[in-house]
Amino acid sequence: MDLSCFKAYDIRGRVPDQLNNDIAERIGRAYVEVTGAKKVVVGYDIRLSSPAMAEALSKGLMAAGADVYDIGLCGTEQVYFATFYHKMDGGIMVTASHNPQDYNGMKLVGVDSRPISSDTGLLDIKGKVPGEFKDAEKPGSYHKLDTLEAYIQHLLTYVDASALKPMKVVVNAGNGGAGLVIDELEKHLPFTFVKVHHEPDGHFPHGVPNPLLMENRDSTRTALLESGADFGVAWDGDYDRCFLFDETGRFIEGYYIVGLLAEQLLRKHPGAGIIHDPRLVWNTIDVVEAAGGKAIQSKTGHAFIKQRMRDEDAVYGGEMSAHHYFRDFAYCDSGMIPWLMVADLINATGKSLSSLIDDRMKKYPASGEINRTLEDAGKVLKAIEEEYAPKAKSVNFVDGLSVEFDDWRFNLRMSNTEPLVRLNVESRGDQALMEAKTAELLAKIDSI
């Protein structure tokens, strides 16, 4: 049995050769055997294969003795929410997020929506999938669970809805599931939504919902410029990430949003801890320390960020990849909370998004993440370390290789999920230096 669909943090593979309904049912059985869960939330995204896969998964869960609470078509964060809000033993979301149309997968959590990754049980589940299973003496039961209204009410706690003024916002669901939530939020907010690719459609008529792809940004940008909206938001398919555009149509790197949200939350929680990843750090550290908070670096990846947040009782964690984590959301990531907070900030300050972010971008210009596919990524990291580390101010290996000089720094790391190295470069107020060093590093990487 091919189990290459098991990755570091989740399950993901091409349907049906790497992941199919038989494997999904076996995963359900194995999940119960490993976790001992008795009540499990199941949800699924808009992919064409997702409903049947969720049904097969549920069949396996019930055969192993767990009760299934089906929340239907949703986003990953709704499974997180339902799991912690309803005090379930675990939850499974059937999704392949921003992967191609012929892929599917699963994201698994346990009690309190704690992630189940390769370090916390996912490999044990993988080990049991090919084996023989015995049905439980008492099979589990099936329940429909409507948690949408409670989820919407929770989202609204992150803004002062009574003080919000009318605003125009472009929202691009990419034909994923985010539009369903926007339609519900619309009933509670004084916003005019300009809806782009709004209807859920697993055929992906406008391409895979992944706003990190340059070609997928034009539709949001065009709608912004034509409508004169205050800002724009675009999501991936399961909307656990959101990507922001300012009123000029400019795409805002997730790195700068981390600082913006951290500062906002520190006003309400003075002195709190803020978790950040090591890829781009200077802006976040600067903002957090100026606001009286404690900037704490963590290895990249949702399982590491969530655990570090729990260890530190941090109020917020942010990755430059546009994953944003909140203590009041069971330390989980949400693609809905961040844009609501940004709308609240624009409303409260009377400033445009560009004016809120421009100074930070100028103070710490960054390359954005650049990927290279390599046969021997380890060899490349070693060669770059040997060349740059001896002359550096500091070097650390929290996640890959981070090398810091007085006026610029970079992080080079191997992907946890793909055969790639990922490069990020930033400088202190020197765009030209950042660009030159980025080009220099890429040339060296490509020549090794």
Side-chain angles (χ1 to χ4, degrees), residues 39-45 50-59 61-62 66-74 78-79 82-83 86 88 90-94 141-148:
K39 297 190 295 182
V40 183
V41 173
V42 174
Y44 57 86
D45 72 7
S50 289
M53 191 164 291
E55 183 178 352
L57 170 69
S58 298
K59 181 180 176 182
L61 291 166
M62 290 187 290
D67 295 338
V68 168
Y69 291 82
D70 178 6
I71 65 172
L73 178 61
C74 64
Q78 284 165 272
V79 168
T83 301
H86 293 286
M88 299 293 183
I92 304 177
M93 175 68 181
V94 176
S141 54
Y142 175 85
H143 310 268
K144 284 278 191 181
L145 179 63
D146 184 358
T147 193
L148 181 59

Side-chain angles (χ1 to χ4, degrees), residues 369-389:
E369 193 154 81
I370 302 168
N371 297 323
R372 285 288 192 270
T373 301
L374 301 171
E375 290 185 8
D376 191 345
K379 176 183 175 183
V380 170
L381 260 72
K382 187 65 177 174
I384 295 296
E385 178 190 344
E386 289 174 352
E387 175 153 358
Y388 286 90

